[in-house]
Amino acid sequence: MNVEELLDAQRRFFQSGATGSRQFRLQQLDLLARAIEQREGDVLAALKEDLGKCEFESYTSEIGFLYEELRFARKHLRRWMRVRRVPTPLLHAPATSRVYYRPHGVSAILAPWNYPFQLALAPVIAAIAAGNCVILKPSELAPATAGILDTLITETFPREYLSVVNGGPEVARQLTAAPVDHIFFTGSTAVGRQVMRAAADHLVPVTLELGGKSPAIVAADARVSVAAHRIAWGKFLNAGQTCVAPDYVCVHASVAEQFIREITAAVQKWYGGHPAASPDYGRIINEGHFQRLNDLLQRQRGFSREVVLLGSEPDRATRFVPPILCPGTTFADPIMEEEIFGPILPILVYQDFTDLMRTIAARPTPLAAYLFSESKSVQQQFVRNLPFGGATINDTIVHLVNAHLPFGGSGASGMGSYHGEAGFRGFSHAAAVMKRGTRFDPPLKYPPYGDRLAMIRRVMRR
Ligand code: NAD
């Protein structure tokens, strides 16, 4: 079936009302959980093939993450689906007012390659919980995982309910040009713009989960050793190919030397000085991205900046790029233009926290921001004044693993959010319904209005 035929079939299925009940949705969440469990080995192998990911990282950041989302959705679905009763202004009495959370219909979900299993299925969980049908397009750049996703969904669900279309940008464009009822896109800001343009033709609502340059800030009073470990972990996980990885770090001048010492020591301890030989260190997704990262390094060197490799030279054949530090970077350097999306960490030194906040706030809004400081007032200044999608104080990345928190960007890093209840709401339309009684029908609002305005004014301006 092509995209149009799938959409027709899914629309018919959706309109039959099959996805409406809580029982149906719970059953589908169970089916998905079981399908993942049965194929865990295949998923781990596919992630190894696509990204050289070790089992520990694949389990914690992809498979285990999905189990947690599934458990959370099953546990809370009754409350999320509840029709919400809200007050009605006296002027409209007698009446009751309610909010119904209704599925959009058929959702198109487009996934990226960096966490190719988790970022495809986490939105699918939210879509199922909210009662939608789904056409999922995995990333063509993680082909082994795309294959597993296809098998898993096709063998578990009827196509008119959940289906996978595989292919490159051409298929993605067909999908985003189709009159679906909602598009959920995770990927780059540049392609996000194209998705939104395509959606405008049919006025399809979009959720955009994009990227950006997420800063980490190490304040003068930070626990420097903890900051160095947690920043290195967030940056070098998945070889830096994480949307919420700290893209660059700004370190207060008084602790900059110590920070560089600590981060170097941490990386050496973790990978035994040879990340290329470590089973725990990932690889770059493909030749194109390997080349892009090499070009970034060349430009940085050409700019007379120091580049410190914490391991052997990059190796094209195995797409290995070691953890790399770029001390002495400034906001004007070429490396500060685009999201790095690789294991290269620019280190900028700052003197004044308020000035730094201003400089970062003037840049496109990042998906995530991180602050390391023990001071409540510094933490408050950071939370109140810095635009970001989400943040962690005194760690990196972990705000996204708490299903109680919404996850999403703002401005250039996206719109809308998901995970837990936010996912359910994002895949639902909040429909307002007011029900009026018919026993009385005071003529107040009907013409001729006569001299009622003064009285209405008093009531409405109360
Ligand atoms: P990408 O934008 O190149 O591709 C994402 C998806 O869009 C793929 O499935 C691709 O086939 C599809 N696509 C390609 N051209 C398209 C078009 N013209 N119209 C519609 N869809 C099209 O992104 P990527 O390289 O796979 O992922 C890396 C980017 O994603 C980084 O910027 C990263 O920060 C971001 N990201 C964001 C999140 C998040 O949760 N916010 C998560 C992971 C990655």
Side-chain angles (χ1 to χ4, degrees):
M1 273 200 226
N2 61 27
V3 166
E4 270 151 44
E5 289 162 344
L6 266 180
L7 177 56
D8 273 353
Q10 292 209 348
R11 187 149 283 143
R12 261 179 272 127
F13 186 76
F14 179 74
Q15 282 166 355
S16 75
T19 66
S21 75
R22 187 165 63 91
Q23 196 197 2
F24 175 87
R25 300 180 194 184
L26 287 173
Q27 271 167 2
Q28 309 313 308
L29 292 171
D30 283 342
L31 280 175
L32 181 58
R34 230 169 301 137
I36 298 173
E37 266 163 32
Q38 283 162 1
R39 292 169 184 79
E40 261 186 21
D42 296 340
V43 176
L44 292 171
L47 291 167
K48 182 86 191 162
E49 189 178 331
D50 286 331
L51 283 144
K53 262 190 209 184
C54 66
E55 289 196 4
F56 184 86
E57 280 188 17
S58 290
Y59 191 87
T60 50
S61 63
E62 306 239 20
I63 298 171
F65 182 92
L66 291 171
Y67 290 150
E68 181 60 20
E69 277 286 306
L70 281 159
R71 192 192 58 75
F72 199 81
R74 291 197 311 241
K75 182 168 170 205
H76 295 286
L77 191 58
R78 180 195 293 274
R79 182 172 58 79
W80 297 345
M81 286 179 73
R82 208 173 281 155
V83 175
R84 212 154 43 89
R85 204 175 156 158
V86 295
T88 306
L90 202 62
L91 195 61
H92 307 288
T96 55
S97 300
R98 293 186 169 84
V99 184
Y100 290 78
Y101 292 95
R102 306 198 309 189
H104 290 302
V106 177
S107 286
I109 296 178
L110 295 103
W113 52 262
N114 60 333
Y115 289 83
F117 194 65
Q118 189 254 104
L119 291 170
L121 291 185
V124 170
I125 293 169
I128 293 175
N132 295 267
C133 296
V134 174
I135 305 176
L136 168 67
K137 201 206 83 62
S139 171
E140 70 281 12
L141 299 187
T145 311
I148 295 288
L149 283 164
D150 195 356
T151 314
L152 186 152
I153 297 286
T154 310
E155 288 178 358
T156 314
F157 302 100
R159 265 199 301 204
E160 58 272 27
Y161 174 47
L162 298 185
S163 54
V164 170
V165 290
N166 266 320
E170 196 41 51
V171 174
R173 272 193 291 268
Q174 276 172 25
L175 189 54
T176 49
V180 292
D181 302 302
H182 174 218
I183 297 176
F184 186 102
F185 171 83
T186 307
S188 59
T189 303
V191 177
R193 267 193 203 102
Q194 296 182 35
V195 170
M196 199 162 167
R197 260 185 227 121
D201 275 349
H202 300 289
L203 287 179
V204 175
V206 290
T207 305
L208 299 178
E209 300 285 339
L210 311 176
K213 284 183 92 62
S214 300
I217 302 167
V218 182
D221 69 332
R223 297 231 154 87
V224 180
S225 172
V226 174
H229 279 79
R230 294 181 178 176
I231 289 171
W233 171 73
K235 181 70 182 186
F236 302 125
L237 181 77
N238 202 24
Q241 301 162 111
T242 303
C243 57
V244 285
D247 185 274
Y248 61 96
V249 55
C250 302
V251 191
H252 189 266
S254 61
V255 291
E257 255 177 50
Q258 187 192 351
F259 176 81
I260 292 172
R261 246 189 352 262
E262 298 269 10
I263 202 165
T264 306
V267 170
Q268 273 176 349
K269 193 168 65 195
W270 294 346
Y271 305 116
H274 295 288
S278 164
D280 298 330
Y281 190 74
R283 294 294 181 269
I284 303 306
I285 184 75
N286 62 18
E287 167 95 25
H289 281 280
F290 178 86
Q291 189 56 46
R292 183 181 59 79
L293 293 171
N294 262 315
D295 291 348
L296 265 184
L297 286 179
Q298 295 320 326
R299 283 181 78 192
Q300 190 71 358
R301 283 188 174 123
F303 219 65
S304 301
R305 296 286 184 236
E306 197 185 346
V307 167
V308 183
L309 306 190
L310 301 178
S312 47
E313 285 290 325
D315 176 44
R316 188 176 299 272
T318 53
R319 303 188 317 275
F320 165 77
V321 176
I324 296 173
L325 306 182
C326 298
T329 302
T330 74
F331 278 104
D333 291 5
I335 205 163
M336 294 302 290
E337 283 163 18
E338 303 261 313
E339 181 182 4
I340 295 170
F341 224 55
I344 304 173
L345 183 66
I347 301 173
L348 294 81
V349 172
Y350 77 92
Q351 302 283 351
D352 182 82
F353 186 72
T354 306
D355 283 351
L356 177 69
M357 290 285 101
R358 247 183 251 126
T359 307
I360 300 176
R363 301 170 68 85
T365 305
L367 180 58
Y370 305 108
L371 170 73
F372 289 82
S373 167
E374 298 299 311
S375 150
K376 271 223 171 94
S377 72
V378 171
Q379 293 171 3
Q380 269 177 8
Q381 202 182 340
F382 166 82
V383 171
R384 292 204 182 129
N385 298 341
L386 198 72
F388 51 67
T392 303
I393 294 173
N394 289 330
D395 205 342
T396 60
I397 297 191
V398 292
H399 62 284
L400 85 79
V401 300
N402 181 355
H404 292 277
L405 289 173
F407 174 68
S410 161
S413 55
M415 59 185 71
S417 56
Y418 72 128
H419 290 180
E421 183 168 354
F424 175 88
R425 303 276 173 237
F427 277 90
S428 305
H429 167 63
V433 179
M434 190 197 278
K435 184 162 93 179
R436 303 223 43 214
T438 51
R439 242 194 265 153
F440 313 102
D441 192 19
L444 216 58
K445 66 182 176 195
Y446 302 132
Y449 303 122
D451 55 5
R452 269 179 242 144
L453 182 58
M455 191 265 281
I456 287 289
R457 259 207 184 112
R458 274 200 304 278
V459 177
M460 293 186 84
R461 288 192 58 188
R462 247 177 333 124

